[in-house]
Amino acid sequence: MSSVDLDKYFKPDLNQARKRSKNTIEELKFDLSDAHYKIGIGKTYMVQTFGCQGNEADGETMAGILELMGFTKGLSEDNVDVIIINTCAIRENAELRIWGTLGRLKAYKKQNPDLILALAGCMAQEENVVERVLKKYHHVDIIFGTHNIHKLPEYIETAMFSKEKVVEVYSQEGDIIENLPKVRNHKFKAWVNIMFGCDEFCTYCIVPYTRGKERSRSKDEIIHEIKELVETGYKEVTLLGQNVNAYGKDFQDQNYTFGDLLRDLDGLGMKRIRFQTSHPHDLDQKTMDAMRDGKSIMPHFHLPVQSGSDSVLKRMNRHYTKESYLKVLADLKKAVPGIAVTTDIIVGFPGETEEDFQDTLRLVEQADYEGAFSFIFSKREGTPAAKYIDDTPEELKKERLYLLNEKINQGYLKGNQRFLNQTVKVLVDGVSKYDSDILAGYTEHNKLVNFKGDSKWIGHIVDVKITAVKTWFMLGEIV
Ligand code: 5AD
Ligand code: SF4
């Protein structure tokens, strides 16, 4: 395909995506036009979501829109009418998996030329991805980004009836769209977006480019959504945002931040409220106080640290030092005694020395984490860190990851051991993957528990006495 063809499409531009406009964000309501109702009747769809909970929530919206258009959920790739690949761009290996999936789907398009194949999510926001898809993955019919999910009905209509390729990705965010339909993947645990975007610009991270500037949903919309969830029997919500602690900082007409929101959500009748993800430098006392007072705010905090070395933290643009991080953590543990804290850590950031890495290991011990996600630095084109000199051998990075994980696992075990012989409250998720007589669920501190019990308990909160603990889970008995 020639470059002229590439130019006719509405493609993303990471340089544009870096800009932060001062435009006020409007709140608009989604409404399906008459032309789009019934387009999908008798047809089926699949949404395949990769990546974070934010993406899962978006995938639920895509499914909601498709069902409103009349589509029903299909069960297998070789027998559906629409497939949406909802992608993740956070690390290279996430992208590699998705390229593999796209390649695999080519055969289904050959079998059924009417199959509509769409690429959505964070990868669609990257210009090099869109160019590669246009040049080499001709079987993809629609490419749309994270800022225009609400326009999905138009894209489906064009692909279906005009048989034209649709490429529409906005580099910058638009307004907040409310009233979006959702098909939730879970019957008693729900995701609720409280804000979109990220303005932190950590130097390794692609998210501020793929998700746009920080913008908060109105408190009334969030409360309305959670009340509805309570009425329909939901027991747990996880409030979502790339940096939930910045919630409300973009409101120009009111002083209402994350701590205020937590206080207002507590008492709505939702049994369990969780949130993610947090940024240490925006975590304030008001939030900690709301957690201390709120009966439904769960005693678990995911507080990504990324590194224990001040010089690495500075080059990551994290806006805190190891000392100031530990101070925030101490305040949190004082406000909410017994709170379980987990984190994210990157090893092998460009220029990370042995001493920097040792600082990270020491921090893991000092912070007493009860769990962590650990990653090897992955170069993301378009981010500042992609240009940093990265001369640490891959083997050494892997060794650091291994050593870090050993330390993290000690924390998991220690975190579980403190509950031995205690009775804890477990929201029963379902039966265990390995044994259908065994139930599995999570405690208030977000620990996985397995125990014998009847499937009638699924979706209920039950008291379980912990009888044994392992690194990754605990065993117990219903009391
Ligand atoms: N390489 C490795 N890990 C990354 N993360 C974000 N960007 C990168 C990257 N380029 C990790 C951070 C973040 C988590 C969601 O993913 O630890 O907290
Ligand atoms: Fe990425 Fe940093 Fe924003 Fe998290 S806070 S999404 S790591 S830029």
Side-chain angles (χ1 to χ4, degrees):
M1 194 178 272
S2 73
S3 60
V4 181
D5 280 324
L6 292 182
D7 285 345
K8 80 176 189 190
Y9 295 115
F10 214 140
K11 291 181 303 182
D13 174 342
L14 286 181
N15 277 325
Q16 283 295 322
R18 186 177 293 130
K19 295 187 182 143
R20 288 296 179 260
S21 78
K22 292 257 180 315
N23 302 347
T24 16
I25 302 285
E26 303 279 333
E27 189 182 288
L28 304 176
K29 296 264 184 227
F30 174 82
D31 195 11
L32 193 67
S33 76
D34 288 345
H36 295 141
Y37 273 107
K38 302 188 181 156
I39 280 186
I41 286 180
K43 296 193 161 62
T44 54
Y45 76 92
M46 264 181 121
V47 178
Q48 295 188 15
T49 294
F50 295 79
C52 68
Q53 283 83 359
N55 249 22
E56 267 199 46
D58 284 350
E60 293 181 344
T61 302
M62 293 171 198
I65 293 175
L66 291 170
E67 294 205 4
L68 207 57
M69 295 172 75
F71 289 93
T72 52
K73 197 172 189 159
L75 294 175
S76 81
E77 281 174 349
D78 60 355
N79 191 21
V80 281
D81 300 290
V82 174
I83 301 180
I84 300 182
I85 309 295
N86 184 19
T87 62
C88 170
I90 196 94
R91 280 171 294 275
E92 195 187 5
N93 50 11
E95 293 201 349
L96 288 176
R97 273 183 69 201
I98 291 158
W99 289 118
T101 303
L102 275 184
R104 179 164 50 79
L105 292 174
K106 193 172 184 173
Y108 301 124
K109 181 80 180 182
K110 256 204 182 128
Q111 256 173 40
N112 170 17
D114 288 333
L115 167 68
I116 293 177
L117 195 59
L119 180 86
C122 283
M123 269 172 84
Q125 295 291 143
E126 295 181 285
E127 54 212 42
N128 60 346
V129 167
V130 173
E131 296 215 350
R132 180 167 162 190
V133 173
L134 288 174
K135 280 187 186 145
K136 299 209 175 121
Y137 294 76
H138 296 209
H139 55 295
V140 174
D141 303 288
I142 304 174
I143 306 178
F144 66 105
T146 57
H147 302 311
N148 47 340
I149 295 172
H150 59 287
K151 292 182 74 182
L152 182 57
E154 275 176 41
Y155 306 150
I156 297 276
E157 183 189 20
T158 309
M160 209 177 247
F161 300 113
S162 316
K163 302 274 176 209
E164 266 179 52
K165 201 184 274 297
V166 182
V167 182
E168 191 162 292
V169 183
Y170 304 149
S171 299
Q172 286 183 300
E173 68 290 332
D175 299 309
I176 290 187
I177 315 293
E178 292 294 351
N179 203 33
L180 284 163
K182 276 184 177 292
V183 173
R184 299 191 188 267
N185 291 328
H186 209 284
K187 294 281 168 279
F188 45 89
K189 296 203 313 196
W191 314 114
V192 173
N193 281 116
I194 61 164
M195 61 185 301
F196 305 97
C198 181
D199 288 346
E200 288 297 333
F201 288 98
C202 301
T203 54
Y204 49 82
C205 186
I206 194 78
V207 170
Y209 307 82
T210 62
R211 293 273 167 181
K213 81 168 177 181
E214 278 173 5
R215 51 223 193 272
S216 305
R217 279 181 81 193
S218 81
K219 138 198 175 193
D220 293 341
E221 288 291 345
I222 298 169
I223 290 178
H224 176 74
E225 185 171 346
I226 293 186
K227 278 186 174 163
E228 258 184 13
L229 288 167
V230 171
E231 277 161 23
T232 42
Y234 278 81
K235 298 277 173 23
E236 179 174 306
V237 289
T238 302
L239 311 175
L240 294 181
Q242 302 301 336
N243 173 12
V244 291
N245 303 97
Y247 175 80
K249 292 193 173 163
D250 55 319
F251 291 150
Q252 279 157 7
D253 51 350
Q254 52 181 323
N255 183 2
Y256 186 87
T257 56
F258 189 55
D260 299 305
L261 181 69
L262 284 183
R263 267 189 204 280
D264 283 344
L265 298 185
D266 185 44
L268 291 182
M270 183 56 69
K271 290 269 187 294
R272 293 180 162 199
I273 298 177
R274 302 185 185 278
F275 51 84
Q276 65 186 38
T277 289
S278 292
H279 193 299
H281 95 111
D282 280 319
L283 170 56
D284 56 11
Q285 193 61 44
K286 208 161 153 186
T287 299
M288 300 184 204
D289 292 347
M291 290 189 79
R292 176 198 59 208
D293 299 339
K295 295 275 169 293
S296 60
I297 320 285
M298 292 295 102
H300 167 229
F301 211 107
H302 187 67
L303 194 60
V305 68
Q306 313 298 0
S307 168
S309 150
D310 285 348
S311 82
V312 172
L313 287 170
K314 196 154 198 260
R315 279 181 295 119
M316 286 177 161
N317 192 33
R318 290 289 292 178
H319 307 291
Y320 54 82
T321 59
K322 173 177 179 175
E323 198 186 319
S324 67
Y325 178 92
L326 285 170
K327 164 81 173 66
V328 172
L329 200 59
D331 290 347
L332 180 64
K333 289 184 177 180
K334 194 166 154 214
V336 189
I339 192 167
V341 179
T342 55
T343 199
D344 289 347
I345 297 173
I346 297 176
V347 295
F349 186 76
E352 182 189 66
T353 62
E354 185 56 32
E355 187 50 32
D356 292 326
F357 175 63
Q358 291 300 328
D359 281 345
T360 298
L361 288 183
R362 269 190 291 274
L363 175 90
V364 172
E365 266 178 28
Q366 284 170 290
D368 240 337
Y369 292 121
E370 298 192 358
F373 297 115
S374 53
F375 313 99
I376 291 180
F377 167 76
S378 171
K379 183 171 159 175
R380 304 285 67 211
E381 226 40 81
T383 63
K387 295 204 178 79
Y388 295 176
I389 295 169
D390 183 11
D391 52 8
T392 312
E394 206 50 37
E395 275 313 303
L396 186 55
K397 291 184 183 181
K398 285 189 184 149
E399 192 184 312
R400 286 183 186 163
L401 185 69
Y402 178 81
L403 293 171
L404 174 65
N405 284 341
E406 282 203 323
K407 184 119 323 201
I408 291 170
N409 291 348
Q410 290 165 14
Y412 270 108
L413 184 62
K414 200 169 151 205
N416 283 344
Q417 274 164 345
R418 69 185 172 112
F419 294 99
L420 190 60
N421 298 322
Q422 289 191 20
T423 298
V424 292
K425 297 214 172 297
V426 177
L427 173 55
V428 185
D429 257 354
V431 294
S432 151
K433 270 189 274 183
Y434 309 102
D435 183 344
S436 58
D437 289 336
I438 302 286
L439 298 175
Y442 285 85
T443 70
E444 296 187 331
H445 294 80
N446 211 30
K447 314 267 177 200
L448 176 61
V449 187
N450 286 334
F451 54 98
K452 251 205 168 81
D454 194 290
S455 60
K456 72 175 182 199
W457 294 116
I458 294 173
H460 294 269
I461 295 175
V462 295
D463 284 331
V464 176
K465 182 164 182 212
I466 302 302
T467 52
V469 299
K470 310 275 177 204
T471 301
W472 308 110
F473 61 98
M474 313 195 283
L475 295 170
E477 287 164 2
I478 292 200
V479 291

